[in-house]
Amino acid sequence: MTRKDINLYSPRTRVPESPRRPDSRPVLHRARLVVPISQPAIEDGAVVVADGTILDVGPFQLLRRQWLGAPARDHHETALLPALVNTHAHLDLSGLAGEIQPKGSMAEWIRGLLAVREQLDQDHLQQARALALEFLPTFGTGIVGDIISSGVFSGGLPNDMVITQTFVEVFGLHNQSLEVAIEQLPPAARSLLADGEESVSLAAHAPYTTSASLLKQIKEWGKAGGKVISVHAAESEEEIHFLHSGVGPLRDLLEERGHEPDKWKPPGCGAVTYLNRLGFLDPLTLCVHVVQVSREEVDLLQSSGAGVCLCPRSNLFIGHGLPPVQDFLSAQICCSLGTDSLASNTDLNLFEEMTVLMEQCSVSPDVVLAMATLNGARNLGLASDYGSLEKGKRWLAIRVTATDGESIVAAGRQGALEWVN
Ligand SMILES: [Zn+2]
């Protein structure tokens, strides 16, 4: 398989060079616009960096006086901003790019996905995964929350430009034990968990595929280790219908796959209400999609402090509509962005997700940029080091050929960006 076979990437992609060794002397990075995210953008701003750490951020003229003798690197007519954070991807599914035609039904889409995946050989899937990871930096993405849900992942990351937070996904409608669920995982995923890396956590697949007991144990496991737990929640009407009634297209799919849905007792409520009842929602929970929620459930998310990952293009692709983004913003819920997989999206470009939210949900450029950076880092538990250009954080930044918020998103979408660290 060549790059041409996987043709669903940005038309103007450039694979960045390997990162250079960080300069131990302070250097002033000057640009027409510095966008720290944590504070308003600074015209003719600068970021002082040494050893890969941000020492200062502010107006260039002021910093030049304060950091006498420090060399300046001029990024000219560009905007400097933190690297983007994609909080929900399934790199394992990259080999399915362009293979599944959506029919507006969640069950149909999953059925198609499973049928295609079962036909593809492991080599193809592994190469596609590696390519997807290699191309992420060309979209300005420096951090990805990746769901490991199949046997594709073989360990080892081919690209040190991307920081990966891995969520090993478990499910089982009748599985009452987390230990057993982990034992049933593919060996590579199991050994990832066994290594106990800080960057590895668990994901529960969804409330309609994971038993109440398993959901509770996954949450307890996360709490004990101070780890963010990811869960697909309230993605489709079919999911909510099944949770309420135990019937419908998802029941039929579970039956086909041998999961015995008739032996499972539906909670009789929406996905967010159910997760809340189980004690699953807290600031270390990342709910992905959250399209089908009531006003009360938005309040539940808000009071629990759980984060929400929006995947608008995936939702539109499968035919679920868009989440109530303005309600989330009014409730000050921490919303980040995810592309989901290439089985339900055309590329892994977060600037495209931002564009959909700006054009179809009236979200401002400043807000979508915060979702794609600082909120993403918060939702993955990485905000102490990443997500904004702030003193003390790591220097993981891109420059975009643009000088205001709206043109930043447009330029990023076109691939007019470069890495500066
Ligand atoms: Zn997903």
Side-chain angles (χ1 to χ4, degrees), residues 15-58:
V15 178
E17 294 167 12
S18 299
R20 281 178 292 181
R21 184 192 289 274
D23 204 327
S24 58
R25 299 162 307 153
V27 174
L28 271 80
H29 289 266
R30 178 189 193 180
R32 164 79 185 277
L33 196 70
V34 169
V35 187
I37 304 292
S38 50
Q39 57 164 304
I42 306 159
E43 294 270 355
D44 192 13
V47 184
V48 185
V49 179
D51 273 330
T53 300
I54 297 171
L55 302 182
D56 215 342
V57 182

Side-chain angles (χ1 to χ4, degrees), residues 88-90 93 109 147 169 205 232 235 288-289 311 314 340-341 344:
H88 185 76
H90 300 252
L93 299 179
W109 177 79
I147 307 284
E169 188 171 77
H205 174 257
H232 296 102
E235 183 175 359
V288 180
H289 295 300
C311 304
S314 173
D340 218 347
S341 78
S344 63

Side-chain angles (χ1 to χ4, degrees), residues 47-176:
V47 184
V48 185
V49 179
D51 273 330
T53 300
I54 297 171
L55 302 182
D56 215 342
V57 182
F60 171 72
Q61 297 300 345
L62 176 71
L63 293 184
R64 190 170 64 169
R65 288 194 296 277
Q66 289 176 348
W67 293 88
L68 273 179
R73 184 176 163 204
D74 199 336
H75 297 280
H76 304 287
E77 295 297 299
T78 63
L80 282 182
L81 61 148
L84 306 188
V85 185
N86 183 343
T87 59
H88 185 76
H90 300 252
L91 298 175
D92 280 350
L93 299 179
S94 302
L96 282 73
E99 296 280 354
I100 301 156
Q101 304 314 316
K103 294 172 184 155
S105 155
M106 185 75 197
E108 274 301 297
W109 177 79
I110 297 174
R111 199 174 271 121
L113 184 152
L114 294 171
V116 173
R117 194 174 65 179
E118 281 156 15
Q119 305 246 317
L120 293 172
D121 69 67
Q122 208 59 5
D123 278 356
H124 171 86
L125 291 170
Q126 284 196 0
Q127 285 175 42
R129 176 192 167 77
L131 264 182
L133 195 57
E134 185 185 331
F135 273 81
L136 272 180
T138 65
F139 304 123
T141 296
I143 300 175
V144 62
D146 182 32
I147 307 284
I148 300 285
S149 53
S150 70
V152 176
F153 181 73
S154 56
L157 300 171
N159 187 335
D160 56 7
M161 282 293 291
V162 184
I163 295 164
T164 307
Q165 285 295 109
T166 303
F167 295 96
V168 177
E169 188 171 77
V170 293
F171 70 101
L173 207 48
H174 302 291
N175 199 335
Q176 306 301 321

